[in-house]
Amino acid sequence: MSFFKPSTESARHNRNMVVQLVLIWAVAIFGFQILLKILEKPVPEPSYTQFESSWQAIEAGTATVSDYQEAGQAVLSVLGKIALDPGDKLLLNQALSHFAFQISDQKEDLKMTLSDFESYAGSITDISDEAYVAMKDELIPVLAELFALNELDVRSRIAPLEVKSALMESFEDTGRERMVETMGLYLIHNRSALTDTKFLGFPFHYFYTAVFLLILFVGLCWLYCVRTDMYNKRYGVED
């Protein structure tokens, strides 16, 4: 028996019902995705707005210490994200290291302290090593002060791992040209009323895809079973 060319009335009803349920499922999934694309607008995080104004001053050669600090804070916000492209991470490390070098009044001392920390970090296999932890803890307040951060700020905690002594003295033009695009990639997000609205404590788009679509799938399966039983009784079909 062909699904597309049913030979009995019962089979024809079954085929039509399956097509209807598949269409409902497809509209529920792809219709929502299309609606998300239609309504979305790029919205920058506050860190991006902060970086954008500071970066303009840095590129114009009129940057103050405050500009380097704000740009460094924004870069650390991106470096704290979990998923970073390795090439982007290297670029941000270069930028952050260069900013630290520009801000510091004791450039050579800072470079030497970082170099010692990096050398020791490369020789251990356990990050709970007491000497490693002590060296890192000594760097945290130094870098936190450089970037005008509270020592308890998570960005202060990751700064010793992201500022590199070998990258401090130069920041190539090719890297500078990629900074705005790279920062925008991680700090500008497509948002809409569907992503910003909360429903039962969840962002609506999350609730819809993670909860509602699952319930809908179970509901369509239940409906298929009920209507199949109904048609079987109507046309005298017995399993």
Side-chain angles (χ1 to χ4, degrees):
M1 179 180 295
S2 170
F3 175 80
F4 298 102
K5 293 181 179 179
S7 57
T8 67
E9 192 66 12
S10 173
R12 188 178 67 80
H13 277 291
N14 186 71
R15 179 204 62 186
N16 292 345
M17 180 173 59
V18 170
V19 170
Q20 291 168 6
L21 296 179
V22 169
L23 286 175
I24 291 173
W25 182 244
V27 169
I29 294 177
F30 298 109
F32 187 73
Q33 295 301 319
I34 292 171
L35 191 60
L36 276 173
K37 297 297 290 182
I38 292 173
L39 296 180
E40 70 182 13
K41 292 181 180 177
V43 178
E45 291 184 23
S47 293
Y48 182 81
T49 306
Q50 172 184 314
F51 167 79
E52 200 172 30
S53 60
S54 301
W55 182 249
Q56 288 176 358
I58 292 171
E59 283 294 82
T62 59
T64 63
V65 170
S66 178
D67 289 321
Y68 283 111
Q69 288 175 331
E70 290 183 355
Q73 291 171 9
V75 170
L76 279 168
S77 296
V78 176
L79 286 168
K81 294 180 182 290
I82 295 175
L84 285 181
D85 178 88
D88 293 341
K89 182 174 173 58
L90 176 60
L91 171 65
L92 297 176
N93 284 147
Q94 289 175 331
L96 185 68
S97 304
H98 181 67
F99 297 160
F101 197 71
Q102 296 300 313
I103 298 169
S104 178
D105 292 328
Q106 299 177 321
K107 301 182 191 306
E108 292 306 318
D109 289 345
L110 175 63
K111 190 176 175 182
M112 187 176 298
T113 304
L114 282 166
S115 180
D116 292 342
F117 173 67
E118 291 162 4
S119 296
Y120 190 78
S123 68
I124 63 169
T125 56
D126 183 0
I127 59 171
S128 63
D129 181 278
E130 290 185 8
Y132 168 80
V133 173
M135 294 174 77
K136 183 182 174 185
D137 287 345
E138 286 179 10
L139 271 171
I140 288 174
V142 174
L143 294 175
E145 184 178 359
L146 276 186
F147 291 113
L149 292 168
N150 187 301
E151 290 182 30
L152 299 179
D153 190 314
V154 68
R155 292 173 294 182
S156 300
R157 314 294 297 179
I158 66 172
L161 306 175
E162 305 296 351
V163 178
K164 308 293 184 184
S165 60
L167 304 176
M168 300 185 85
E169 295 190 47
S170 65
F171 188 20
E172 297 176 354
D173 291 342
T174 52
R176 289 175 176 272
E177 292 169 359
R178 291 175 48 214
M179 275 301 290
V180 172
E181 179 184 354
T182 302
M183 292 293 283
L185 179 64
Y186 296 99
L187 295 177
I188 299 178
H189 311 286
N190 290 322
R191 297 170 58 178
S192 69
L194 296 176
T195 60
D196 293 346
T197 301
K198 291 289 182 68
F199 185 75
L200 297 179
F202 299 99
F204 181 77
H205 71 294
Y206 176 82
F207 175 85
Y208 183 88
T209 54
V211 180
F212 175 76
L213 286 179
L214 183 61
I215 295 172
L216 178 63
F217 179 77
V218 174
L220 292 177
C221 292
W222 174 81
L223 183 60
Y224 175 80
C225 293
V226 169
R227 292 185 67 182
T228 297
D229 284 346
M230 183 182 72
Y231 287 130
N232 285 347
K233 289 179 181 177
R234 179 184 298 179
Y235 297 106
V237 178
E238 295 184 2
D239 291 333

